[in-house]
Amino acid sequence: MQQPLECDVVIVGSGAAGLAAAVTASKRGLDVVVLEKESVFGGTTALSGGVLWIPLNHHGRGQNAADTAQQVRRYLAGETGAHYDEEAVNAFIAQGPKMVEFFERETALQFVPTLYPDYHPDAPGGAAIGRSILAKPYDIRGLGKDMARLKPPLKTITFMGMMFNSSNADLKHFFRATKSLVSFLYVARRLATHMKELLCYGRGIQVTSGNALAARLARSALDLGIPIMTGTAAKRVLMEGGRATGVAVADGGGERHIIARHGVVLAAGGFPHDVRRIAQAYPHLRRGHAHLSPTPAGNTGDGVNMAEDAGASVEIRLESAAAWMPVSRVDLGAGEVGVFPHLLDRYKPGVIGVLQNGRRFTNESNSYHDVGHAMVAACAQASETAMWLVCDKTTLGKYGLGYVKPSPMPIGRFIRSGYLIEGRTLAELAHKAGIDAQQLQATVQEYNQGAVHGEDAQFGRGSTAFNRYLADADHRPNPCVAPLHNGPFYAVKVLMGDLGTFDGIRTSAVGEVLRPDGSAIEGLYAAGNDRASIMGGNYPGAGITHGPNMTFGYITANHIADRALSGKEAP
């Protein structure tokens, strides 16, 4: 075994929470080491949308000066219900804006405001704007020699490796490229720049969304001399006298000890690929149905398992133990299978979602988590947890469907692979998809009666600001609703996935890992998706993962630094 490596704080995980904690602790004068089991850093963050829900941040105050802490508390109380944690919520509200100001002032991390409404803007305390911010795009050449260690974005949501996010102009221009000269020229320039980047660097270098957030955080850590030790898997927490003193990492078939004088922070991304734990936590898996997660395959619950082995309390308490995301399985060729998260298509007019029985079951323009929750419930007695997104030829050409791009991109290979199901009639489509044909025809007929007037009498699509935000603002009278008229008709099968887990390690508000009796394990902390979410299994707005995760990473690091620098923490 190699000689132990000593530091003040060791962080297990290189996502937003872990890097936020590392940078904060280092800025407070502590010696920090970050461990990452994969060969690239960024974790789930690098694959995500990169949005942070931080009520009352200074960007948002410029958009919504009337927002108040009382309104935020009211909204979160309604959203989290019996799981409302007043102490943690108050800490989040108070420290979130300070975290944003700290990182923008002290590091390479910069944010821009978004136009996102809360996901339930009409609920008591909800807001139509001003609570979600986004990492500013970044040129990853700024990472220098570490550029190759940044986790690439999720392949299925890029176009030839080119990134988009739902808050920029790119998508609107791409949708309008065949209809507007301005958009056509914009797209042509964007593609030309991207192709040049691919030729020169083998990847896109102008990154957005979560890739930009991860890159900016990593640049901030590297600027402080914090080592991000990729390819270094933590195996267990070192304990001495009931106190966490470091971690053991895999080392050439053996192990190496990393001693942490003041704290071990577990931020390893939760347990979305821990087969044993999700089989207990996910209701559709308990009934034997399929699940696909686009999160990193390395998120196998390492932090949660290490905490449990050290005596921590880890319970499956929540009905929705993860952030649900409807996904589809994509054949990428050469034996590679991708997972496509349905982030945008469900909102578009002319797209509906039906179950195997041919019936609609929810407002398709609600948030992915809400649609996922409804899908899990609606399929409780079915043979699988699945829905089919259905549209006609006009809608497919205008918006695409799932991984299938809009016109003029060809669709033949998707039909041949079985990803895109085509039928000259709804009955033929239903037969090929395994859907009840008679009921599908009745469902579309009923839907079309109101849709021709922009109405959805059954589920009220387009009735909220959030429904409309990701729809088609140019479609009148309802940006979320259009009839299905023009065959051939198309469908994509959608299964249940997740964006990360909500349940996890029980902690105090400052992140101390708790035992089943409520006492804290000295020196052991949890952050990010390893820590049980304050959202209680709900999804109130865009960025409710990154916002709290970075905020509590910041809070935890400051708590460790306060104790260390005041002499309360023994070296």
Side-chain angles (χ1 to χ4, degrees), residues 172-193:
K172 291 182 179 179
H173 283 299
F174 272 77
F175 282 134
R176 297 172 181 166
T178 60
K179 304 175 183 65
S180 160
L181 179 60
V182 171
S183 290
F184 174 81
L185 293 173
Y186 179 94
V187 169
R189 287 193 297 270
R190 185 82 165 81
L191 285 171
T193 300

Side-chain angles (χ1 to χ4, degrees), residues 355-530:
L355 302 176
Q356 192 171 29
N357 62 16
R359 300 177 186 272
R360 292 175 68 212
F361 63 99
T362 193
N363 178 339
E364 299 91 344
S365 298
N366 282 341
S367 77
Y368 37 80
H369 183 71
D370 287 351
V371 171
H373 182 80
M375 186 171 154
V376 169
C379 295
Q381 304 303 318
S383 61
E384 60 180 337
T385 300
M387 71 169 172
W388 285 258
L389 291 178
V390 178
C391 71
D392 67 7
K393 179 180 180 180
T394 301
T395 297
L396 183 74
K398 193 171 184 179
Y399 307 112
L401 189 67
Y403 191 58
V404 180
K405 305 300 185 287
S407 178
M409 299 302 293
I411 64 173
R413 69 183 180 96
F414 299 108
I415 295 173
R416 289 190 295 273
S417 73
Y419 178 80
L420 183 67
I421 306 166
E422 180 184 50
R424 291 167 298 173
T425 64
L426 286 169
E428 182 180 328
L429 179 73
H431 176 73
K432 289 183 177 180
I435 302 170
D436 184 304
Q438 184 176 353
Q439 184 57 56
L440 177 62
Q441 292 175 97
T443 293
V444 172
Q445 182 179 13
E446 179 185 5
Y447 170 77
N448 282 349
Q449 287 175 356
V452 294
H453 307 294
E455 300 170 356
D456 176 17
Q458 189 174 8
F459 294 109
R461 284 181 68 173
S463 59
T464 72
F466 176 69
N467 276 188
R468 298 186 292 272
Y469 178 63
L470 294 175
D472 181 357
D474 295 332
H475 182 80
R476 299 287 189 273
N478 186 333
C480 300
V481 176
L484 286 72
H485 276 323
N486 303 313
F489 298 91
Y490 298 92
V492 168
K493 186 177 182 179
V494 176
L495 302 172
M496 185 47 53
D498 68 79
L499 295 181
T501 47
F502 280 152
D503 258 324
I505 303 166
R506 283 187 59 219
T507 68
S508 67
V510 297
E512 299 162 306
V513 171
L514 303 179
R515 298 183 179 90
D517 65 4
S519 64
I521 299 175
E522 187 73 19
L524 187 59
Y525 301 84
N529 288 358
D530 277 355

Side-chain angles (χ1 to χ4, degrees), residues 109-155:
L109 184 54
Q110 301 295 306
F111 298 105
V112 293
T114 77
L115 300 177
Y116 268 110
D118 286 344
Y119 285 174
H120 309 124
D122 299 330
I129 197 171
R131 292 177 178 171
S132 295
I133 56 176
L134 180 68
K136 186 179 286 187
Y138 185 67
D139 183 333
I140 61 173
R141 287 176 294 186
L143 289 171
K145 63 181 177 60
D146 291 298
M147 182 173 75
R149 291 204 298 153
L150 173 67
K151 179 184 282 292
L154 192 64
K155 186 180 292 188

Side-chain angles (χ1 to χ4, degrees), residues 93-430:
I93 292 171
Q95 296 299 317
K98 294 179 182 178
M99 179 274 293
V100 171
E101 292 170 5
F102 166 80
F103 276 95
E104 290 195 316
R105 182 181 67 247
E106 301 286 340
T107 78
L109 184 54
Q110 301 295 306
F111 298 105
V112 293
T114 77
L115 300 177
Y116 268 110
D118 286 344
Y119 285 174
H120 309 124
D122 299 330
I129 197 171
R131 292 177 178 171
S132 295
I133 56 176
L134 180 68
K136 186 179 286 187
Y138 185 67
D139 183 333
I140 61 173
R141 287 176 294 186
L143 289 171
K145 63 181 177 60
D146 291 298
M147 182 173 75
R149 291 204 298 153
L150 173 67
K151 179 184 282 292
L154 192 64
K155 186 180 292 188
T156 52
I157 58 173
T158 66
F159 179 63
M160 296 187 299
M162 183 174 9
M163 297 186 64
F164 309 96
N165 65 55
S166 58
S167 296
N168 65 21
D170 281 350
L171 285 173
K172 291 182 179 179
H173 283 299
F174 272 77
F175 282 134
R176 297 172 181 166
T178 60
K179 304 175 183 65
S180 160
L181 179 60
V182 171
S183 290
F184 174 81
L185 293 173
Y186 179 94
V187 169
R189 287 193 297 270
R190 185 82 165 81
L191 285 171
T193 300
H194 180 66
M195 294 307 295
K196 182 179 178 181
E197 292 174 3
L198 290 180
L199 288 171
C200 294
Y201 304 100
R203 67 188 292 176
I205 60 170
Q206 302 296 331
V207 302
T208 65
S209 306
N211 224 233
L213 178 59
R216 286 181 173 277
L217 279 167
R219 179 69 272 165
S220 302
L222 296 167
D223 284 344
L224 291 166
I226 299 171
I228 304 175
M229 298 173 62
T230 48
T232 306
K235 294 299 184 184
R236 59 189 175 90
V237 177
L238 301 176
M239 300 292 294
E240 186 175 322
R243 180 179 182 273
T245 59
V247 296
V249 302
D251 178 40
E255 65 178 36
R256 182 185 185 186
H257 291 180
I258 300 180
I259 306 302
R261 289 180 285 269
H262 299 298
V264 174
V265 181
L266 302 174
F271 56 90
H273 291 284
D274 182 339
V275 175
R276 177 185 62 85
R277 204 177 293 273
I278 66 173
Q280 301 169 355
Y282 295 179
H284 50 294
L285 282 178
R286 290 198 299 269
R287 53 193 186 231
H289 296 180
H291 184 86
L292 291 174
S293 178
T295 59
N299 289 8
T300 53
D302 297 355
V304 175
N305 293 330
M306 287 193 296
E308 200 166 43
D309 289 343
S313 173
V314 179
E315 302 175 72
I316 303 302
R317 302 177 302 130
L318 305 175
E319 179 185 4
S320 292
W324 302 134
M325 168 59 73
V327 301
S328 51
R329 186 190 301 270
V330 181
D331 180 359
L332 296 174
E336 184 180 2
V337 175
V339 181
F340 180 87
H342 288 263
L343 291 158
L344 297 173
D345 50 0
R346 296 175 293 98
Y347 302 89
K348 298 299 188 285
V351 177
I352 62 171
V354 300
L355 302 176
Q356 192 171 29
N357 62 16
R359 300 177 186 272
R360 292 175 68 212
F361 63 99
T362 193
N363 178 339
E364 299 91 344
S365 298
N366 282 341
S367 77
Y368 37 80
H369 183 71
D370 287 351
V371 171
H373 182 80
M375 186 171 154
V376 169
C379 295
Q381 304 303 318
S383 61
E384 60 180 337
T385 300
M387 71 169 172
W388 285 258
L389 291 178
V390 178
C391 71
D392 67 7
K393 179 180 180 180
T394 301
T395 297
L396 183 74
K398 193 171 184 179
Y399 307 112
L401 189 67
Y403 191 58
V404 180
K405 305 300 185 287
S407 178
M409 299 302 293
I411 64 173
R413 69 183 180 96
F414 299 108
I415 295 173
R416 289 190 295 273
S417 73
Y419 178 80
L420 183 67
I421 306 166
E422 180 184 50
R424 291 167 298 173
T425 64
L426 286 169
E428 182 180 328
L429 179 73

